[in-house]
Amino acid sequence: MHTTFPRLSSSPSPPFQSSPSINASPSKSSPNLAAPPLIVLSPCAACKILRRRCDEKCVLAPYFPPTEPQNFIIVHRVFGASNIIKCLQGLPECQRSDAVSSMVYEANARIRNPVHGCAGAISQLQKQVIKLQAELAKAQAETVSMQCQRDNLVALICKEMTTQYPQETMNRVLPQQQFNDDATTCYLDDKDFASTWDALWT
């Protein structure tokens, strides 16, 4: 028993043709317009910590940038945000930067020394200044005393030379020098003179 199958058509299928919308290139290239960059306004450190919207009229934005949040954290901890805003609003813009720097310094000092704050640091610096001034005055007094001793010693040496050597020899050794007993205003005691004289000749 034979089974017959239908004969397939042997006619070639039409070739594949690409659609003109895919292969067709535009006749004129459209200009490549770059999109403008998106400007993202980052909130200042104060508004970010307080979790509020930071607008263009924010008083704290120029003085507490988002890169330095620690300054506002310290100032807010000591003074409070409302007091900071009131203080800045009551000052002209030319003085606000100095006021913020002062508040940051005082807040840091208050955290280090909760009792005295910046007054404690100022008091300590004043004590150091007084101590250094006393040391400077002592050094200046010692310098003046040494200069007086040197002048007295030179005057005494010159007096001894005038008594031991002839006047002609003194004129050759020290020309145009006049020695006067009243030339110096500082004088040595007998004890100081003896010790100085011994130290000179030993």
Side-chain angles (χ1 to χ4, degrees):
M1 182 176 182
H2 298 281
T3 305
T4 58
F5 295 94
R7 182 177 295 179
L8 297 176
S9 175
S10 62
S11 61
S13 61
F16 175 77
Q17 295 180 358
S18 61
S19 61
S21 60
I22 297 176
N23 294 333
S25 61
S27 59
K28 295 182 180 180
S29 61
S30 60
N32 187 11
L33 298 177
L38 295 178
I39 300 175
V40 179
L41 297 177
S42 177
C44 65
C47 294
K48 188 175 182 180
I49 294 172
L50 297 176
R51 296 181 179 180
R52 67 179 188 180
R53 184 179 179 182
C54 186
D55 54 4
E56 297 178 355
K57 298 181 180 180
C58 180
V59 182
L60 304 174
Y63 313 106
F64 297 101
T67 56
E68 299 176 358
Q70 189 65 27
N71 289 338
F72 181 78
I73 292 174
I74 296 174
V75 175
H76 175 57
R77 179 180 175 183
V78 176
F79 298 102
S82 59
N83 292 328
I84 299 171
I85 295 173
K86 290 179 182 179
C87 180
L88 294 179
Q89 289 177 346
L91 294 174
E93 293 185 0
C94 60
Q95 298 179 1
R96 292 180 179 179
S97 179
D98 295 335
V100 171
S101 300
S102 299
M103 285 189 288
V104 172
Y105 176 80
E106 188 172 354
N108 284 314
R110 181 67 63 179
I111 291 176
R112 290 193 301 267
N113 189 351
V115 178
H116 299 94
C118 61
I122 294 172
S123 178
Q124 185 177 1
L125 292 175
Q126 288 178 346
K127 291 179 181 178
Q128 292 180 2
V129 170
I130 294 173
K131 182 179 179 181
L132 293 175
Q133 287 177 348
E135 293 179 357
L136 178 61
K138 183 178 179 182
Q140 290 176 348
E142 292 177 354
T143 302
V144 173
S145 178
M146 293 176 65
Q147 289 177 353
C148 292
Q149 292 179 6
R150 179 181 59 84
D151 294 339
N152 287 330
L153 182 59
V154 171
L156 291 172
I157 292 173
C158 294
K159 185 177 180 180
E160 289 292 328
M161 291 177 68
T162 55
T163 57
Q164 293 180 5
Y165 296 96
Q167 188 66 26
E168 296 179 358
T169 306
M170 290 299 301
N171 292 334
R172 293 178 183 177
V173 176
L174 299 173
Q176 298 179 357
Q177 292 289 335
Q178 295 180 358
F179 302 99
N180 191 355
D181 293 338
D182 298 331
T184 58
T185 58
C186 299
Y187 298 93
L188 291 173
D189 297 335
D190 295 337
K191 295 180 180 179
D192 296 337
F193 171 73
S195 61
T196 306
W197 191 263
D198 294 338
L200 179 65
W201 293 105
T202 56

